[in-house]
């Protein structure tokens, strides 16, 4: 089959869950046996979200090939098990950079470079994945960030308009809008949807399918009304009601025929509805996992989305262990030696979160010490692992001034130090140790057991600093073992204290590779330890 293209835009307000709808549709098409990828186009000027503060844009997600991307790629991967890459996350900044670099090389032969056609052509080229022609994809789902009417998304809309025309039935446009419920009037209102569709039509794009986000059920009359005002078939007006879990969304979309509507619009025979057995089994497990296990997230970003993949990984691991992981954010800036006991009370285990910079790190160190000395299951991720290492140096090895050279460049005991290859880098953005690297596991370690005794694993990274090997033997002789090593560079990737119930720090980010059907082994092992604690 020739590759088909699906464009997903959003209207009325942001945060409607376009990423979840894109991921759900990807899952449904996959279940029909199609080869799918999902890509995100973001209208901001940053080259990638790597330089964005998590408060602005939530977590930065990292692909296997080391691209720092939007957190929606995390949804895509968790739902579909697709491995996304640098081609799946594009920003206005990257589009402009490509065009400007080309202009500097003289490739345009003296032409005036303009938004239309040069920027729009570059957007189209990437939407069509011209560089990845050998992928043999059946469907490319393209989600455009932002909301219809934003000045900055106009070139993307123009590119979609042109592609729609050029591709004919091989392209479909899905528009996601919001239907608010007005309590005082006890009514659902479709007017914002009508306006949003008009705006889209004004840009020359007629949506084929509308997905209406709503907190209340929309009856057929309401859907009919939207259909007739917006020039859309009534069976192409799908509603996306609030669900107890985002993982119910694919099934809800399937019941309403979202995937079937896409296929019909493209003239592809619809065929049988896939049974989605493994997904239903997962949902059953989720519904039955009601016993709670409380886990503390020690971090500095008091924002749900800042630790999105960690939250989802814990949630998924819990479901596979038949429990509901109740997560409690513990702001590390407010942790003191005096209040730590109270702050962690009721937590069966803690995750010490990743991060950058000084703010909140002393709280993480206090939490690590408390958890170690009270034998509370502890999982340190990236900066979290580094804080476990520093705490151990200060309180077990006796180096009171031990630190990471990120926090104190002059520290005489730099147990965490900048990686050699990072020392000459001055540019920010895309310059850390990024993406997947091999890690050799020490046989018999708790980490190796968690990974089912695999000898070599591969995990994704995003950091500049590392465990300082000069101290390795001291750590080992005092009980903290380096049980995961990158064979090529001899970097320490995992530390653990074997005599504790579960005290493991990972320099990599396991949360990026935990999916609905394949929860991550370290998270599962950690949650099991929390249950048994
Ligand atoms: N700031 C630390 C480093 O660069 C940890 C990074 C992280 O937690 N992702 O090494």
């Amino acid at each position: 089959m020739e590759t088909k293209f699906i464009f997903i835009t959003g209207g009325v307000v942001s945060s409607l869950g376009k990423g979840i709808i894109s991921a759900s549709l990807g899952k449904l098409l996959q279940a029909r046996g199609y080869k799918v990828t999902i890509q995100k186009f973001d209208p901001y000027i940053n080259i990638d979200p790597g330089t964005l503060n998590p408060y602005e844009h939530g977590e930065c997600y990292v692909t296997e090939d080391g691209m720092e991307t939007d957190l929606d790629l995390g949804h895509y991967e968790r739902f579909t098990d697709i491995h996304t890459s640098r081609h799946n996350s594009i920003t206005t900044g990257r589009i402009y950079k490509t065009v400007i670099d080309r202009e500097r090389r003289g490739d345009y032969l003296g032409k005036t470079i303009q938004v239309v056609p040069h920027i729009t052509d570059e957007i189209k080229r990437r939407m069509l994945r011209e560089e990845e022609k050998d992928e043999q994809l059946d469907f490319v789902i393209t989600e455009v960030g932002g909301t219809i009417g934003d000045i900055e998304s106009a070139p993307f809309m123009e590119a979609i308009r042109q592609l729609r025309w050029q591709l004919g039935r091989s392209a479909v446009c899905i528009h996601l809008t919001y239907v608010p419920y007005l309590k005082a009037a006890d009514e659902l209102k479709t007017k914002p949807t009508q306006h949003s569709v008009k705006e889209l039509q004004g840009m020359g794009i007629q949506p084929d399918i509308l997905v209406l986000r709503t907190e209340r059920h929309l009856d057929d009359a309401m859907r009919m009304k939207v259909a007739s005002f917006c020039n859309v078939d009534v069976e192409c007006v799908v509603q996306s009601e609030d669900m107890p879990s985002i993982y119910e969304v694919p099934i809800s979309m399937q019941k309403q025929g979202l995937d079937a509507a896409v296929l019909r619009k493209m003239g592809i025979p619809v065929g049988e509805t896939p049974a989605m057995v493994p997904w239903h089994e997962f949902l059953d497990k989720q519904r039955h996992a009601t016993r709670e296990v409380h886990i503390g997230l020690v971090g500095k970003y008091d924002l749900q989305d800042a630790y999105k993949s960690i939250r989802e990984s814990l949630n998924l691991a819990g479901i596979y262990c038949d429990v509901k992981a109740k997560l409690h954010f513990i702001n590390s800036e407010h942790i003191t030696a005096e209040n730590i006991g109270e702050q962690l009370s009721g937590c069966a285990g803690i995750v010490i979160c990743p991060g950058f910079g000084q703010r909140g790190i002393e709280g993480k160190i206090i939490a690590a010490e408390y958890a170690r000395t009270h034998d509370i299951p502890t999982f340190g991720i990236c900066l979290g692992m580094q804080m476990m290492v520093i705490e151990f140096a200060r309180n077990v090895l006796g180096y009171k001034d031990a630190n990471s050279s990120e926090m104190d460049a002059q520290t005489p005991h730099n147990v965490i130090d900048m990686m050699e290859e990072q020392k000459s880098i001055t540019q920010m953005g895309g310059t850390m140790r990024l993406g997947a690297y091999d890690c050799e596991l020490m046989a018999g370690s708790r980490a190796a057991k968690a990974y089912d005794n695999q000898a070599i694993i591969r995990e994704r990274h995003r950091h500049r600093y590392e465990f300082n090997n000069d101290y390795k033997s001291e750590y080992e002789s005092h009980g903290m073992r380096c049980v995961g090593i990158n064979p090529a560079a001899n970097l320490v990737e995992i530390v653990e204290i074997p005599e504790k119930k579960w005290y493991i720090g990972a320099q990599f980010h396991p949360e990026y590779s935990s999916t609905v059907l394949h929860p991550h082994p370290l998270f599962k092992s950690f949650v099991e330890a929390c249950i048994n604690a």
Side-chain angles (χ1 to χ4, degrees):
M1 185 172 97
E2 283 251 316
T3 310
K4 311 276 188 236
F5 296 85
I6 301 168
F7 298 101
I8 304 194
T9 55
V12 185
V13 288
S14 58
S15 305
L16 291 179
K18 251 186 304 178
I20 307 286
I21 295 293
S22 306
S24 300
L25 179 57
K27 181 78 211 167
L28 294 178
L29 291 171
Q30 253 186 351
R32 289 178 180 273
Y34 294 112
K35 192 159 177 238
V36 181
T37 199
I38 317 178
Q39 50 185 7
K40 174 99 192 256
F41 281 59
D42 270 308
Y44 48 78
I45 316 276
N46 304 62
I47 299 287
D48 59 53
T51 50
L52 283 173
N53 182 330
Y55 282 121
E56 302 250 337
H57 213 74
E59 154 192 289
C60 170
Y61 185 79
V62 179
T63 59
E64 282 217 315
D65 68 342
M67 181 78 191
E68 298 176 283
T69 74
D70 186 86
L71 57 77
D72 273 322
L73 271 78
H75 292 308
Y76 305 164
E77 293 207 8
R78 279 189 291 276
F79 277 62
T80 63
D81 280 284
I82 292 169
H83 285 186
T84 57
S85 76
R86 59 186 59 252
H87 302 296
N88 294 60
S89 173
I90 309 289
T91 65
T92 292
R94 265 178 94 193
I95 301 278
Y96 270 79
K97 189 164 188 316
T98 311
V99 171
I100 292 169
D101 287 348
R102 222 178 264 153
E103 186 270 341
R104 292 289 85 180
R105 282 200 306 268
D107 294 2
Y108 292 109
L109 304 172
K111 283 254 175 282
T112 308
I113 313 305
Q114 295 178 293
V115 172
V116 183
H118 301 99
I119 295 297
T120 47
D121 279 354
E122 179 56 22
I123 295 174
K124 278 163 54 183
R125 203 177 65 83
R126 295 194 185 241
M127 282 179 167
L128 294 172
R129 295 177 78 86
E130 303 243 308
E131 281 170 28
E132 296 81 52
K133 280 287 185 223
D134 50 349
E135 287 175 321
Q136 310 278 334
L137 292 168
D138 298 312
F139 288 94
V140 175
I141 300 175
T142 300
E143 177 192 347
V144 179
T147 310
I148 244 12
D150 292 347
I151 292 174
E152 52 196 23
S153 62
F156 294 100
M157 297 306 138
E158 172 59 13
I160 294 177
R161 186 194 67 76
Q162 292 182 16
L163 284 177
R164 208 42 236 289
W165 185 250
Q166 183 184 321
L167 295 166
R169 283 186 96 183
S170 293
V172 150
C173 294
I174 301 177
H175 189 54
L176 182 62
T177 73
Y178 180 51
V179 177
Y181 169 72
L182 289 191
K183 206 164 147 206
D186 188 26
E187 263 185 279
L188 284 154
K189 293 293 185 187
T190 64
K191 192 73 88 191
T193 296
Q194 296 175 38
H195 281 297
S196 178
V197 170
K198 275 220 177 81
E199 182 108 29
L200 203 55
Q201 289 166 337
M203 295 179 181
I205 301 171
Q206 168 61 49
D208 301 283
I209 296 168
L210 294 175
V211 178
L212 312 180
R213 276 288 285 128
T214 172
E215 283 151 37
R216 303 261 169 144
H217 186 76
L218 300 174
D219 59 21
D220 288 350
M222 196 73 114
R223 285 177 44 239
M224 214 103 85
K225 182 173 159 194
V226 171
S228 71
F229 277 119
C230 300
N231 300 341
V232 173
D233 303 331
V234 69
E235 63 274 19
C236 291
V237 180
V238 167
Q239 59 184 311
S240 169
E241 288 178 79
D242 282 357
M243 292 278 146
S245 144
I246 54 172
Y247 302 119
E248 306 266 0
V249 177
I251 302 303
S252 156
M253 290 299 113
Q254 188 187 43
K255 279 192 191 133
Q256 296 183 69
L258 176 64
D259 53 337
V262 168
L263 297 176
R264 261 198 317 275
K265 282 281 162 196
M266 290 178 158
I268 302 167
V270 175
E272 299 260 308
T273 305
M276 310 259 298
V277 175
W279 199 271
H280 278 288
E281 282 170 0
F282 163 80
L283 291 179
D284 268 348
K285 259 184 145 357
Q286 173 168 264
R287 287 181 204 120
H288 289 106
T290 47
R291 198 182 120 210
E292 293 179 349
V293 50
H294 296 264
I295 296 173
L297 281 188
V298 180
K300 68 174 167 181
Y301 299 113
D302 190 3
L303 179 88
Q304 289 268 339
D305 275 357
Y307 304 115
K308 187 77 190 163
S309 295
I310 293 180
R311 287 176 178 273
E312 290 307 320
S313 299
L314 288 167
N315 173 15
L316 294 170
I319 293 164
Y320 280 91
C321 296
D322 302 310
V323 295
K324 188 171 174 51
K326 281 292 235 190
L327 308 182
H328 303 275
F329 176 72
I330 300 168
N331 192 331
S332 57
E333 282 186 279
H334 302 158
I335 293 178
T336 62
E338 290 70 43
N339 71 18
I340 183 68
E342 188 192 327
Q343 295 250 22
L344 299 191
S345 74
C347 288
I350 61 168
V351 172
I352 309 182
C353 292
F356 294 84
Q358 179 74 39
R359 188 164 65 87
I361 64 149
E362 292 303 326
K364 286 182 175 170
I365 294 173
I366 295 169
E369 179 186 10
Y370 187 89
R372 181 177 58 78
T373 51
H374 291 75
D375 205 359
I376 298 170
T378 303
F379 192 2
I381 300 178
C382 206
L383 184 71
M385 169 267 200
Q386 297 175 354
M387 294 306 119
M388 289 162 95
V389 168
I390 293 170
E391 187 279 315
F392 198 85
R394 290 186 186 175
N395 301 320
V396 181
L397 306 183
Y399 301 130
K400 287 292 167 214
D401 50 6
N403 213 332
S404 161
S405 45
E406 177 180 8
M407 316 305 167
D408 176 4
Q410 310 308 328
T411 177
H413 296 107
N414 52 344
V415 292
I416 303 292
D417 197 17
M418 187 179 272
M419 280 179 277
E420 208 43 54
E421 74 258 28
Q422 291 286 325
K423 290 186 178 157
S424 54
I425 295 172
T426 50
Q427 289 257 10
M428 299 295 266
T431 56
M432 281 183 265
R433 179 173 182 240
L434 289 165
Y437 288 88
D438 284 346
C439 169
E440 224 165 50
L441 297 176
M442 194 213 275
S445 63
R446 181 162 287 128
K449 278 188 207 131
Y451 281 98
D452 234 351
N453 298 316
Q454 274 173 264
I456 301 252
I457 52 154
R458 221 174 140 70
E459 295 283 0
R460 302 182 206 181
H461 295 252
R462 181 176 187 240
H463 64 122
R464 264 184 230 291
Y465 298 82
E466 57 162 322
F467 181 96
N468 184 345
N469 278 328
D470 292 350
Y471 293 91
K472 192 168 165 188
S473 57
E474 257 186 281
Y475 274 92
E476 299 251 324
S477 60
H478 285 79
M480 184 178 262
R481 294 290 169 86
C482 302
V483 296
I485 307 285
N486 170 257
N490 197 29
L491 296 177
V492 173
E493 312 280 36
I494 309 177
V495 296
E496 73 177 39
I497 302 182
E499 70 175 35
K500 301 290 171 195
K501 285 186 197 137
W502 209 100
Y503 198 83
I504 298 183
Q507 184 59 78
F508 50 78
H509 292 265
E511 70 273 23
Y512 294 146
S513 49
S514 196
T515 71
V516 171
L517 298 183
H518 299 99
H520 195 283
L522 274 181
F523 280 100
K524 258 184 80 184
S525 163
F526 168 66
V527 171
E528 273 160 19
C530 294
I531 295 168
N532 300 324

